[in-house]
């Protein structure tokens, strides 16, 4: 039936991506990627210089938003001293992971498709294979290793930027709670495992985005138009993937026990 053709194609594509992901992750975990460690370091430098300020800037702006919303909501229910609760949960558990995922998908993921796809259609990847260089290792595994080396630190710093922005919004801008009162509640409603869980969510999103971007770039065909189509497909799949990882992460880490010190 024709109406089954599209879902069947989706399933086939997801299977191809899963197989590709398994190959790339295996190349990293087996250590074979370290043959091209210099390229991984170069890609790490590109990530740091090209994406850090953008991600931190977005995290800061959304941290301001979390702080303002939390302050005015807590005021509306007559508990302005509890503004730090919303800031702690909003920043750490939801907004920063999603902001990180969105920016990774929009900037890093599409950049990978465009870069590797351009190499594919100009026969540069075939040239690597002719020279005896494993193209999937040199182009894809090195980028995944670079992401794993750089992004955890970039993510934790983004969380700090969001926290700083929330503090500025609640304490300095709105000023309905003192600095000490804000931090008392703020730190009461989070703990180190929450930061670890948030980091796991962010890195799961980043790993998915890098692998999807590398896959669509590595398998691009059809000239420049084909690269553009692959870029659009990767963006759609990555945005959906970010939301799925975010939803599953929240359910797994906080669904049964939100760790909220309320009541007895």
């Amino acid at each position: 039936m024709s109406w089954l053709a599209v879902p069947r194609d989706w399933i086939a594509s997801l299977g191809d991506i899963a197989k590709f992901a398994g190959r790339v992750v295996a190349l990293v975990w087996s250590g074979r990627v370290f043959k091209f460690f210099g390229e991984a370091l170069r890609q790490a430098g590109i990530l740091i210089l090209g994406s850090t300020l953008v991600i931190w800037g977005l995290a800061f702006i959304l941290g301001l938003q979390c702080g303002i919303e939390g302050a005015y909501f807590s005021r509306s229910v007559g508990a302005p001293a509890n503004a730090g609760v919303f800031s702690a949960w909003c920043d750490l558990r939801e907004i920063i992971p999603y902001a990180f995922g969105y920016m990774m998908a929009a900037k890093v993921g599409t950049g990978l498709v465009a870069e590797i796809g351009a190499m594919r259609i100009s026969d540069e990847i075939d040239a690597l294979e002719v020279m005896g260089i494993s193209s999937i290792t040199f182009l894809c595994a090195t980028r995944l290793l670079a992401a794993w080396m750089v992004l955890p630190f970039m993510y934790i710093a983004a969380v700090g930027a969001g926290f700083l922005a929330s503090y500025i919004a609640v304490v300095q801008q709105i000023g309905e709670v003192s600095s000490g009162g804000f931090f008392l509640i703020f730190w009461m409603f989070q703990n180190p495992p929450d930061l670890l869980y948030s980091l796991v969510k962010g890195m799961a999103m980043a790993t998915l985005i890098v692998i999807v971007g590398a896959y669509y770039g590595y398998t691009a065909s059809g000239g420049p138009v084909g690269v553009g189509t692959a870029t659009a497909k990767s963006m759609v799949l990555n945005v959906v993937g970010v939301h799925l990882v975010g939803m599953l992460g929240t359910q797994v880490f906080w669904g049964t026990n939100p760790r909220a010190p309320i009541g007895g």
Side-chain angles (χ1 to χ4, degrees):
M1 295 183 186
S2 59
W3 59 273
L4 286 176
V6 173
R8 197 176 291 126
D9 291 343
W10 291 347
I11 293 172
S13 296
L14 290 176
D16 290 340
I17 294 172
K19 189 188 303 182
F20 179 85
R23 289 182 63 190
V24 174
V25 172
L27 287 169
V28 177
W29 280 107
S30 66
R32 279 177 283 178
V33 69
F34 287 98
K35 180 180 179 181
F36 306 110
F37 188 61
E39 174 66 11
L41 289 177
R42 189 178 76 86
Q43 293 298 327
I46 292 173
L47 268 178
I48 293 170
L49 295 176
S51 303
T52 301
L53 291 180
V54 178
I55 291 173
W56 289 355
L58 181 62
F60 187 86
I61 292 169
L62 293 177
L64 289 173
Q65 180 181 330
C66 279
I68 292 169
E69 288 182 6
Y72 285 116
F73 174 77
S74 59
R75 178 198 289 181
S76 70
V77 297
N82 289 314
V85 176
F86 188 81
S87 296
W89 284 2
C90 175
D91 286 335
L92 187 61
R93 301 186 182 188
E94 302 299 333
I95 284 294
I96 300 303
Y98 279 113
F100 188 74
Y102 292 154
M103 193 52 65
M104 284 289 299
K107 190 175 188 305
V108 177
T110 55
L112 288 176
V113 182
E115 182 183 9
I116 300 176
M119 297 180 70
R120 168 63 73 185
I121 65 172
S122 61
D123 297 328
E124 292 180 44
I125 293 179
D126 295 332
L128 286 174
E129 296 289 349
V130 168
M131 291 187 292
I133 297 173
S134 171
S135 59
I136 192 171
T137 306
F138 184 76
L139 297 176
C140 304
T142 53
R143 284 161 170 80
L144 182 61
L145 177 61
W148 284 353
M149 288 192 299
V150 168
L151 294 180
F153 304 100
M154 192 185 297
Y155 181 84
I156 291 174
V159 171
F163 283 171
L164 174 62
S166 294
Y167 169 81
I168 292 172
V170 174
V171 178
Q172 303 298 328
Q173 179 186 359
I174 299 173
E176 201 149 338
V177 60
S178 69
S179 177
F182 173 82
F183 281 124
L184 173 66
I185 301 297
F186 182 78
W187 294 117
M188 189 183 296
F189 281 80
Q190 59 180 295
N191 52 34
D194 285 340
L195 177 61
L196 175 62
Y197 297 151
S198 179
L199 177 61
V200 170
K201 280 180 66 173
M203 288 306 300
M205 293 175 183
T207 301
L208 173 68
I209 289 163
V210 171
I211 288 175
V212 168
Y215 168 80
Y216 276 105
Y218 193 77
T219 59
S221 61
V225 174
V227 175
T229 302
T231 303
K233 287 181 179 179
S234 75
M235 184 66 190
V236 172
L237 182 57
N238 278 332
V239 169
V240 173
V242 163
H243 285 90
L244 288 175
V245 171
M247 175 192 69
L248 291 174
T250 298
Q251 290 296 325
V252 169
F253 296 137
W254 299 290
T256 57
N257 179 16
R259 286 189 293 282
I262 300 173

